[in-house]
Amino acid sequence: MSKGDKDYNDVFERLVSDEADIVGHIAYALYKSEKQEWIKNKKDKGENNIDLSGFVELQTDKRLEYYRLRADMIINKFAGEVASNALQEEHDKLEAEYRLRYESLAKKCEPKGWFYGFWQGFASSFAITLLLGFILLIIILNNGGILAIGEALVKFARP
């Protein structure tokens, strides 16, 4: 049908501005859905020869704006769900990453057992003993032997 025909329906052109008009396309789908519902109701009432001109005449600018508003709400709801899902995925990813870090740090902080501590104590005691022995050897060799150390201790102890 051409635009000159009396049966021509210009609702698509009134709702959809161009190919990229997603809101308009969804609004047109809502219009078509409502049109199908209108036809179904007419058939349920027993009407066989359905004249669509009554439905088309109901499509005022306000009614078409209603379709666009509903379409906009659908898109906003969809975008909100997508954003919410993306946010939840990122949250879950970060939570898993931090849980792995926590478990790794917790393992480093776990006690290693008494035997591990025994060898640490033994090694440190042995190192201190060697150091003190080395210092004592240097003092003995530089100050005339053990007698010099004894005399120095006696002088130190007397007031």
Side-chain angles (χ1 to χ4, degrees):
M1 288 183 255
S2 69
K3 288 186 179 183
D5 293 340
K6 69 176 184 165
D7 293 331
Y8 179 74
N9 179 354
D10 67 344
V11 171
F12 182 81
E13 287 84 6
R14 290 168 59 199
L15 284 174
V16 181
S17 60
D18 60 35
E19 291 273 332
D21 182 10
I22 296 171
V23 173
H25 283 283
I26 293 173
Y28 186 70
L30 293 170
Y31 157 79
K32 292 299 274 186
S33 175
E34 194 168 292
K35 185 177 179 181
Q36 292 297 319
E37 187 68 28
W38 189 82
I39 292 170
K40 183 179 180 292
N41 287 339
K42 293 286 188 184
K43 285 183 179 180
D44 289 346
K45 291 178 183 177
E47 295 181 33
N48 291 330
N49 191 11
I50 300 171
D51 181 19
L52 293 176
S53 62
F55 181 78
V56 173
E57 288 174 8
L58 294 173
Q59 306 312 309
T60 63
D61 288 339
K62 282 193 179 255
R63 187 69 184 161
L64 297 182
E65 185 60 28
Y66 167 75
Y67 294 135
R68 289 190 67 80
L69 287 173
R70 276 188 55 203
D72 197 41
M73 288 171 52
I74 289 169
I75 289 173
N76 285 335
K77 182 179 178 188
F78 175 74
E81 288 174 3
V82 168
S84 177
N85 290 342
L87 188 62
Q88 185 62 44
E89 287 175 12
E90 188 63 26
H91 173 268
D92 293 346
K93 181 179 155 186
L94 287 173
E95 186 177 25
E97 183 180 317
Y98 285 121
R99 182 171 281 122
L100 285 174
R101 285 183 184 175
Y102 171 78
E103 289 170 359
S104 173
L105 289 173
K107 281 187 179 183
K108 289 179 182 178
C109 295
E110 287 178 358
K112 306 246 189 290
W114 72 271
F115 200 64
Y116 180 79
F118 168 79
W119 285 112
Q120 281 184 331
F122 179 80
S124 63
S125 296
F126 184 74
I128 292 294
T129 303
L130 282 179
L131 181 64
L132 290 175
F134 183 69
I135 291 171
L136 186 62
L137 182 64
I138 290 174
I139 291 172
I140 291 173
L141 293 176
N142 285 336
N143 290 331
I146 293 180
L147 290 176
I149 293 173
E151 290 172 3
L153 286 175
V154 169
K155 285 181 186 176
F156 181 72
R158 287 188 191 158

